[in-house]
Amino acid sequence: MAKLKVAELFYSIQGEGRYMGVPSVFLRVFGCNFSCGGFGMPKGEESKERDFIAAEVGKFFKYQDLPLVSTGCDSYASWDPRFKHLSPVLTTDSITDSIMDLLPHKEWKDEHLVITGGEPLLGWQRAYPELLSHPKMLALKELTFETNGTQELSDDFAEYLHNEWVHNKGYFSLTFSVSPKLSVSGERWDEAIKPEIVAKYNEYGCTYLKFVVASQDDADEAEQAVNEYRKAGFTGHVYLMPVGGVESVYHLNNRRVAEMAMKKGWRYSDRLQVPLFKNEWGT
């Protein structure tokens, strides 16, 4: 039986992108190829908040007890090896049982499944066909992968998505919510911007780009990236979303980012989990 290392499994509303406001189950798997230490920091500097937390990691016995951070990656515990002991390895049976317990009617109705991370398209791709084909998952209608857009679909998983998922449920039932990492994240362009990979996602399901920005320079860099994605064949929508995993940072730039999106003719994505739930774990 397939297994996944699960950082979080919770029921909330989708706070971002195409499905904003839709009741959703979030399956957050462990592991990422980026650290995104630059978010919320002066250009060229990286956040040390998670290092201070890791120095006292012995104080925390549950993922939900970890402090939130105002700079760097707000889901740091889903990929930093120093916190991996807080993410159990679960079988598909265990995961689907937990999902049924989370759903308000104990079965899929209008709810949506979001597989996120970390980076969910790393090695875990091999486990998803068994998970999604489980008898308790057959009534699921809509699925999103929240990805940074750097990981190719494996041949086996791409074949499953085409032949089993999209063939039975339709192209628009599958979404790739791609958040490419701009320089504001602290990641390098040549490692973070992979247009050919994202264009390939576009062949299997509805794919859009969602850029986290804090300034006009960030928005202009996003435009440069979008041009590269378009050249590679990407045809989806583009969203701008404000930096800010805590309210104090989020409220500094959300209106400004919305105005930037309007000027570019792009869509604006809020981060509803910040004003509604203070971006607490499990939201």
Side-chain angles (χ1 to χ4, degrees), residues 199-259:
K200 195 70 176 177
Y201 298 165
N202 218 156
E203 296 179 15
Y204 294 94
C206 178
T207 303
Y208 62 84
L209 301 175
K210 186 178 61 182
F211 293 96
V212 175
V213 300
S215 68
Q216 186 62 51
D217 286 345
D218 297 338
D220 292 342
E221 185 182 343
E223 186 169 34
Q224 180 184 355
V226 169
N227 290 337
E228 296 303 311
Y229 286 107
R230 296 292 190 211
K231 289 177 188 175
F234 166 74
T235 60
H237 295 297
V238 178
Y239 291 77
L240 291 187
M241 187 171 73
V243 166
V246 295
E247 278 195 290
S248 58
V249 178
Y250 165 83
H251 284 307
L252 283 175
N253 64 352
N254 57 340
R255 176 172 174 173
R256 184 172 61 210
V257 172
E259 291 170 345

Side-chain angles (χ1 to χ4, degrees), residues 92-118:
T92 53
D93 277 350
S94 177
I95 293 169
T96 55
D97 286 347
S98 296
I99 288 173
M100 292 302 108
D101 286 341
L102 290 170
L103 292 170
H105 301 288
K106 309 308 174 188
E107 61 179 332
W108 291 106
K109 294 289 189 181
D110 189 40
E111 301 86 7
H112 176 209
L113 176 64
V114 182
I115 301 182
T116 187

Side-chain angles (χ1 to χ4, degrees), residues 49-117:
E49 281 191 73
R50 63 185 172 85
D51 295 330
F52 299 140
I53 298 167
E56 300 184 314
V57 69
K59 293 169 52 177
F60 306 105
F61 299 98
K62 294 188 302 182
Y63 192 99
Q64 295 77 9
D65 293 336
L66 291 167
L68 302 177
V69 296
S70 59
T71 57
C73 174
D74 60 2
S75 57
Y76 66 92
S78 69
W79 56 266
D80 189 316
R82 293 172 291 186
F83 304 98
K84 66 181 182 180
H85 62 291
L86 300 175
S87 297
V89 176
L90 302 177
T91 65
T92 53
D93 277 350
S94 177
I95 293 169
T96 55
D97 286 347
S98 296
I99 288 173
M100 292 302 108
D101 286 341
L102 290 170
L103 292 170
H105 301 288
K106 309 308 174 188
E107 61 179 332
W108 291 106
K109 294 289 189 181
D110 189 40
E111 301 86 7
H112 176 209
L113 176 64
V114 182
I115 301 182
T116 187

